[in-house]
Amino acid sequence: MLAAAATARLAEAGVPSARFDAEALLAEALGIDRGRIPIADDATPEQAAAYEALLARRAAREPLQHILGRTYFGPLTLAVGPGVFVPRPETELLAVWAARQVGRGAAIVDLCAGSGALGLYLAATVPGSRVVLVERDPAALDYLRRNAAAAALAGTATVLDADVRDPELPDRVAELLGTVDLVVTNPPYVPEGADLDREAAADPAAALFSGADGLDLIRELAPLAARLLAAGGAVAVEHDDSNGAGTAELLRAAGFGGVAEHRDLAGRPRYVTGRMDP
């Protein structure tokens, strides 16, 4: 079977999810859902050639999501590719936590929105929510706008082209200051010089690295989130697995109470949450 040989080939190339990727690429070449592979007709010569081309790219360790041009995040199908950070499944834990903190009509801000994974997830799952997604990078903004349009969330999701480090940003969003129910962010947080696997290294450096300790941007995001939130509002910040305690301390220093560190399903420190005390 094509997928069996392809799985062995990808495994030999060091792809960690060789079987899944081989099947996903076969489904792409055949134009079917992955679950239909066992009952699919044999590949035509054209489909086999297309599959070979896709496999060659993955064997060279091009990210699967770049090859397919999409990834999945909760109920969303997001366009991704070179120039935008590919959201990881672990971030869905933060998204689920965040959605449980607010009710209908919540005002939500996603800082360093990238592809829009967090903010669009919340726009799609919190009824009547009003979400502002802040991103500065032109390439990421292109994907963000495409994803917001594809999710059919016009009127509930607003994309703002802005740098979260800009001292004039609070003036640009003055109507939001002190009124927001929830702030979420998956910012650049990798310490400079950290070793990355080949797939992670394909993400844009600007979306990954944040100073020697990985906390430079979080240092600026914590007080910005505090200014945005209403009393009782919640914040959730994803961080490097070496920086749970450091992120928690930055939130406390910005005035947040109830600060808690959360782990992912593998037991690694993943995100920190807090709440603006009344």
Side-chain angles (χ1 to χ4, degrees):
M1 184 179 178
L2 283 175
T7 297
R9 176 179 173 183
L10 294 182
E12 185 177 355
V15 174
S17 51
R19 179 177 177 180
F20 177 90
D21 291 15
E23 292 179 353
L25 294 173
L26 180 57
E28 184 76 3
L30 296 178
I32 61 174
D33 292 333
R34 178 168 162 260
R36 294 186 60 82
I37 289 175
I39 61 173
D41 295 333
D42 290 341
T44 66
E46 293 78 11
Q47 290 170 332
Y51 188 38
E52 169 59 31
L54 295 174
L55 284 173
R57 294 170 65 185
R58 189 66 185 107
R61 303 300 292 276
E62 183 177 350
L64 176 68
Q65 299 88 346
H66 286 192
I67 298 170
L68 298 177
R70 63 184 181 275
T71 194
Y72 304 99
F73 191 86
L76 304 173
T77 300
L78 299 171
V80 293
V84 70
F85 180 81
V86 175
R88 308 305 197 251
E90 295 84 357
T91 304
E92 291 189 35
L93 296 173
L94 186 160
V96 170
W97 180 93
R100 291 173 176 166
Q101 308 310 306
V102 290
R104 178 178 293 273
I108 301 169
V109 174
D110 180 1
L111 299 172
C112 303
S115 67
L118 281 173
L120 296 178
Y121 176 99
L122 293 165
T125 58
V126 178
S129 56
R130 294 160 290 121
V131 182
V132 176
L133 302 103
V134 183
E135 177 55 54
R136 71 175 181 88
D137 183 80
L141 278 165
D142 179 62
Y143 285 104
L144 175 55
R145 291 183 174 117
R146 288 164 55 191
N147 288 327
L153 297 168
T156 63
T158 302
V159 174
L160 178 61
D161 178 357
D163 188 336
V164 297
R165 300 166 299 183
D166 184 351
E168 296 182 2
L169 177 59
D171 291 335
R172 293 184 58 188
V173 295
E175 72 283 1
L176 294 177
L177 299 180
T179 70
V180 174
D181 300 300
L182 174 67
V183 172
V184 294
T185 181
N186 182 12
Y189 57 63
V190 178
E192 296 284 355
D195 290 331
L196 300 175
D197 62 41
R198 291 180 64 179
E199 281 77 5
D203 285 317
L208 294 173
F209 299 107
S210 188
D213 63 359
L215 290 171
D216 279 6
L217 195 54
I218 295 176
R219 288 188 179 93
E220 301 192 52
L221 289 172
L224 174 60
R227 293 189 66 182
L228 288 165
L229 286 167
V235 65
V237 182
E238 185 163 330
H239 57 76
D240 185 73
D241 58 17
S242 66
N243 276 332
T247 301
E249 183 55 35
L250 289 172
L251 289 186
R252 292 189 186 99
F256 287 96
V259 174
E261 299 178 42
H262 302 257
R263 294 179 178 270
D264 61 23
L265 295 178
R268 295 183 295 262
R270 179 56 53 186
Y271 64 100
V272 172
T273 61
R275 196 169 293 275
M276 286 302 298
D277 293 328

